[in-house]
Amino acid sequence: MNINKLIILFTVVSLNTVFAQNDVPQDSIQNSKMTNLELSKIQIIPIIDTNTERQYELYIKLPEGYSENNEINYPVLYFTDAMWHIEILSGSTEYLMENLILVGISWQKDERPEISRYRDYTILESMNPKYQSGDAHNHLTFIQNDIIKYIEDNYRTDTDNRTYFGYSLGGTFGAYVLLTQPQTFKNYILGSPETLLDDSYIFKNSSILTQNPKDVKANVFISNGELEKKELIAQAQGLVSTVKNLNDKELVIAYVTIESADHRKAFPMTALKSLYWLKEKLKQ
């Protein structure tokens, strides 16, 4: 099933849902109690950053048949901004990659999303007192020591096939991981990395780069929307150049432009294109 067929399928399902709703008698709707849709296959697990005591949640989806065969170990896709991304990643992988564990990482509980993600996904401290920033190192430690450990202690995972997915500031954070501790994941999907705050620090300060660039063994997918701001496109292209300059034969990079899309509209197609790319890397 190619991308166009998948998009058509989503459209048909959506239209059928709308038409079905229109056929429901209005008095039945008025007399019924409204409820929220729950994704029954998604487990929500509370987890604490043992270093900061901040509380987060993991959105975990296991493959069909996970409990039926105890001999299979599954690759894991970890992604930030879990609440924003869980639906499209869950729906897409349902069709594209059946044998994949999804692990979404929430923002800090009881904190506004913009505050939590701006703090956790960025590298430099901001001069703006409104937001705390520059805590990427601590957040990576949390992911490595608490989240990945929890997942690999409690689920059957292929520890050699971890993938990171991040979009916008989540892409910025993924770039930081790739350039400092690339062994954390085997595959990196960095959609429209919004690195205005961290641009010069990532690309011009050699101290942030991995101390052993020849050890960078990863597959990297970087994307931009065609209609994004010029500085954002330039920064993503700068990231591509930085990664290519690591000159490691075991590092493979793909750079994709999402046609006719700005920063917001590039996300859905970035998700689909990157999952097709990941499917090939995982040979599913």
Side-chain angles (χ1 to χ4, degrees):
M1 183 181 294
N2 58 31
I3 291 179
N4 290 332
K5 289 182 179 179
L6 189 59
I7 292 174
I8 292 172
L9 177 61
F10 285 159
T11 303
V12 170
V13 171
S14 298
L15 289 174
N16 285 341
T17 301
V18 171
F19 294 148
Q21 289 174 343
N22 287 340
D23 290 337
V24 176
Q26 291 301 308
D27 57 347
S28 297
I29 295 178
Q30 293 171 357
N31 295 329
S32 300
K33 182 179 180 181
M34 301 294 288
T35 59
N36 293 325
L37 174 66
E38 295 182 2
L39 301 177
S40 59
K41 295 182 180 180
I42 308 300
Q43 307 171 13
I44 300 180
I45 307 295
I47 191 166
I48 295 177
D49 183 335
T50 54
N51 184 44
T52 65
E53 299 297 322
R54 296 171 185 148
Q55 297 184 5
Y56 294 80
E57 291 178 332
L58 301 180
Y59 287 41
I60 301 173
K61 182 182 179 183
L62 301 178
E64 290 285 349
Y66 175 87
S67 60
E68 298 172 6
N69 190 336
N70 293 329
E71 297 181 358
I72 300 178
N73 293 327
Y74 297 89
V76 182
L77 174 62
Y78 295 86
F79 56 99
T80 46
D81 294 317
M83 286 73 88
W84 288 347
H85 301 340
I86 183 63
E87 291 176 294
I88 192 167
L89 294 179
S90 174
S92 299
T93 54
E94 189 85 19
Y95 292 93
L96 296 176
M97 285 177 285
E98 297 177 352
N99 296 323
L100 183 70
I101 296 175
L102 296 182
V103 178
I105 306 167
S106 77
W107 309 301
Q108 180 188 347
K109 291 189 65 179
D110 303 320
E111 183 62 273
R112 300 208 317 269
E114 65 270 21
I115 292 178
S116 178
R117 67 195 303 268
Y118 196 73
R119 178 196 64 221
D120 290 343
Y121 302 165
T122 56
I123 301 162
L124 293 181
E125 292 185 6
S126 173
M127 300 301 292
N128 184 350
K130 183 178 180 180
Y131 295 118
Q132 177 189 352
S133 65
D135 211 31
H137 174 74
N138 289 330
H139 198 59
L140 175 55
T141 300
F142 166 50
I143 290 174
Q144 292 173 327
N145 294 349
D146 295 320
I147 293 177
I148 292 178
K149 184 179 187 305
Y150 173 83
I151 295 298
E152 296 184 353
D153 283 350
N154 290 277
Y155 300 94
R156 298 192 312 276
T157 69
D158 180 354
T159 57
D160 293 326
N161 261 318
R162 302 186 200 121
T163 298
Y164 173 85
F165 179 103
Y167 190 81
S168 193
L169 277 179
T172 302
F173 177 74
Y176 168 78
V177 181
L178 172 65
L179 295 177
T180 60
Q181 300 187 47
Q183 73 285 353
T184 306
F185 302 98
K186 182 177 181 179
N187 308 296
Y188 288 82
I189 298 172
L190 312 176
S192 297
E194 188 176 3
T195 59
L196 282 174
L197 177 64
D198 305 315
D199 179 44
S200 62
Y201 192 65
I202 288 181
F203 305 140
K204 298 176 184 178
N205 266 299
S206 60
S207 61
I208 195 174
L209 301 180
T210 174
Q211 297 300 310
N212 298 296
K214 292 184 179 180
D215 293 336
V216 180
K217 301 175 183 179
N219 303 307
V220 184
F221 178 102
I222 299 173
S223 68
N224 261 131
E226 182 183 25
L227 303 181
E228 291 198 64
K229 295 179 180 179
K230 292 182 179 179
E231 57 266 31
L232 291 181
I233 295 175
Q235 288 168 54
Q237 292 173 343
L239 177 59
V240 171
S241 298
T242 299
V243 174
K244 285 183 176 179
N245 288 337
L246 295 176
N247 292 322
D248 194 291
K249 294 181 180 180
E250 296 190 63
L251 190 151
V252 179
I253 184 168
Y255 177 57
V256 175
T257 298
I258 309 300
E259 296 181 359
S260 304
D262 59 17
H263 189 70
R264 289 177 58 85
K265 294 179 181 178
F267 171 69
M269 192 57 70
T270 294
L272 288 176
K273 285 181 176 290
S274 66
L275 289 175
Y276 270 94
W277 171 86
L278 181 61
K279 178 181 174 69
E280 175 63 25
K281 299 305 177 188
L282 298 179
K283 300 298 182 182
Q284 288 197 22

